[in-house]
Amino acid sequence: MTTFATGPVRVSVPATSANLGPGFDTLGLALDLRDRLEAEVTESGLVVEVDGVGSDEVPLDEGNLVVRAMRAAFDELGVQPPGIRLSCVNVIPHARGLGSSSAAIVAGVWLARELVAGGRLLLGDEGLLDLAARIEGHPDNVAPALLGGFVIAGQDADGSFYAVPSEVDPRIGAVVYIPPEPVSTETARGLLPTEVSHADAAANAGRAALLVAALGGRPEELWRATADRLHQDYRRPAMPASLALLDALRADGVPAIVSGAGPTVLAFTDTTDGLTARCPEGWTALRLGIDSRGAVAW
C-alpha cells in the first residue's frame, strides 16, 4: 500500500530564459526569480489557492497546470492521492518568455514525487526531467528550472531527453525588460519559417558554441555570441517594441536577446552599469542573478 507524506511539502522554482539568442530550443538559463508552492495530501477533493501573478486568471481546478503536472507524476508513480491541497505564490510573469509554464510543470512533478513515500527511488531526477519535458514538449526551460544554472538540453532520436549543465562565470548577471503586454508562445512560434538557409543555420551553430565559452568564462565575447539568425527577427511583427529595444541595445554593444519566445528582452551584464535606465516607459526592469540551485525545498 502506497503511503503519502503526512504533512505539506514545499518547493521553490526559478524563472528561466531559453534560446539565449542562437541556442534555439536547446540553451536555457535559470534566473533568481522564484515561484513558491506548497502541497499536501488530503482526505478528498482538490483545493487550489494562488496568490501573486495570475491569481485572477489561472484555473483553480484540474485544469491548473501545476495540478496537471502533479497528476502526470502520480500516474508515473502508479498512485493518485485521495485529495490535494495546493498553494502557489507566483512572481514569475506569465506569457513573457520567462518560463512560467515550465516553473509550474517542474513544481508539479517535484511536489508529487515528494508527496509519495519513496518517490525519489521510484522516479529519479532523470525520470523527473523526462516527464517535465514531455509535458512541456521541449526541455530548454524545464531543464534549468529543475537543475539550475546554464543547461544545454535536447532530445535524442529515441525520444528521450537529455540535459547537460555547463559553467557560468560568477561575474555574469542579467537585466530583464518586461513589457506590460504578453505574447503567447503559440503566436511567436507561428511566425517562424518551416525552413532556413544553410548559412543562417551554420552561423547560429557557431554562435551557440561560442556562447557556451562566453558564459563559462569569456564574458567579453557575449555580444558576438548572442547574435541570432533563426528566430528573433521573424517574431518582430508580434513584438515590435521588444525588437526595437533589442536593436538599440545591441547597437550600443550590449549583449541582448529575446528571452524565450518573448516579449521580454534580456541583457547580459558583468558590471554594475546603468542598464536598468534603458527600460522603456511602462515596462519593468529587473536585475537578476543567475540561479544555480534549480528546484529546491524551502
Side-chain angles (χ1 to χ4, degrees):
M1 178 178 178
T2 302
T3 58
F4 297 98
T6 56
V9 298
R10 301 177 180 92
V11 68
S12 170
V13 184
T16 52
S17 180
N19 302 328
L20 306 181
F24 183 66
D25 278 0
T26 60
L27 302 183
L29 187 69
L31 302 170
D32 193 16
L33 183 69
R34 289 179 162 266
D35 287 350
R36 298 181 183 273
L37 302 92
E38 177 181 288
E40 65 180 329
V41 172
T42 60
E43 292 183 359
S44 63
L46 172 66
V47 176
V48 180
E49 302 165 342
V50 178
D51 291 323
V53 175
S55 60
D56 57 348
E57 299 174 355
V58 300
L60 302 180
D61 54 19
E62 294 286 346
N64 183 281
L65 184 55
V66 180
V67 175
R68 286 159 46 201
M70 292 180 74
R71 294 296 190 194
F74 284 131
D75 283 343
E76 201 84 3
L77 292 161
V79 63
Q80 287 289 340
I84 300 171
R85 182 190 66 82
L86 172 67
S87 176
C88 311
V89 179
N90 296 338
V91 298
I92 302 171
H94 289 186
R96 299 300 198 281
L98 288 170
S100 61
S101 64
S102 288
I105 290 167
V106 167
V109 297
W110 197 99
L111 287 168
R113 184 178 70 172
E114 296 303 302
L115 284 170
V116 175
R120 294 197 176 205
L121 296 176
L122 297 169
L123 185 61
D125 288 346
E126 287 188 7
L128 206 66
L129 170 68
D130 189 77
L131 176 58
R134 280 189 277 127
I135 296 170
E136 177 77 334
H138 45 86
D140 51 339
N141 283 104
V142 295
L146 181 63
L147 303 174
F150 174 45
V151 183
I152 301 124
Q155 189 172 22
D156 287 324
D158 64 0
S160 62
F161 294 95
Y162 64 86
V164 180
S166 188
E167 294 296 317
V168 179
D169 190 302
R171 293 172 292 175
I172 296 174
V175 173
V176 294
Y177 305 92
I178 307 168
E181 297 301 324
V183 172
S184 74
T185 300
E186 291 75 18
T187 298
R189 279 192 175 269
L191 293 170
L192 300 182
T194 56
E195 296 181 353
V196 297
S197 72
H198 188 277
D200 286 347
N204 265 50
R207 293 298 197 273
L210 180 60
L211 184 54
V212 175
L215 286 173
R218 299 290 298 273
E220 70 276 7
E221 295 292 341
L222 279 169
W223 182 85
R224 178 181 289 115
T226 48
D228 164 71
R229 285 162 59 173
L230 289 188
H231 66 101
Q232 292 183 158
D233 206 53
Y234 292 111
R235 290 167 164 165
R236 189 180 295 270
M239 53 193 86
S242 297
L243 270 296
L245 175 60
L246 178 75
D247 292 343
L249 289 168
R250 293 193 64 83
D252 291 337
V254 177
I257 53 102
V258 172
S259 182
T264 292
V265 173
L266 180 149
F268 286 109
T269 176
D270 62 350
T271 65
T272 55
D273 51 33
L275 281 178
T276 54
R278 302 289 297 269
C279 186
E281 184 176 356
W283 293 36
T284 301
L286 299 176
R287 180 180 289 275
L288 301 173
I290 309 305
D291 175 89
S292 62
R293 298 178 297 158
V296 293
W298 62 277

